[in-house]
Amino acid sequence: MPDELGPFQGMWEAWDEAHDEITRKPLSHFRRTADIQFDEIERHLAMGDGEGAAREVADIISVALNVMRWLGHTPEEIAEIVRSRAELRMKGQTLAILDKYMDRYGT
């Protein structure tokens, strides 16, 4: 398999064995799983464990990849979506994106 996802390719491949189960989950499963990971980040940070927090962030990336799998995308498609999103949506616009989230959501 090509290395389209760079450092995340191994994470993608680790979940291959659960592909069928993942694709049967409701979207709410992934939302809840991400919430749990953020709770775990907060616990690690409260204990001064930055390394543990970083591992939980890697788990959030895993959740995001599994949502893309759930949506039916391949690693090659994901790589193109990410490249395109960065170029067309984010590049040169990150401060405006942060402002939008502050204005709309207070965060």
Side-chain angles (χ1 to χ4, degrees), residues 61-97:
I61 295 167
S62 179
V63 172
L65 286 171
N66 279 328
V67 172
M68 295 297 270
R69 181 188 299 266
W70 182 81
L71 290 169
H73 294 291
T74 65
E76 295 79 14
E77 291 168 334
I78 294 167
E80 180 54 34
I81 290 165
V82 170
R83 281 190 289 272
S84 174
R85 188 71 172 164
E87 185 65 29
L88 300 175
R89 171 70 175 105
M90 296 173 188
K91 190 174 184 180
Q93 301 177 68
T94 54
L95 293 175
I97 293 168

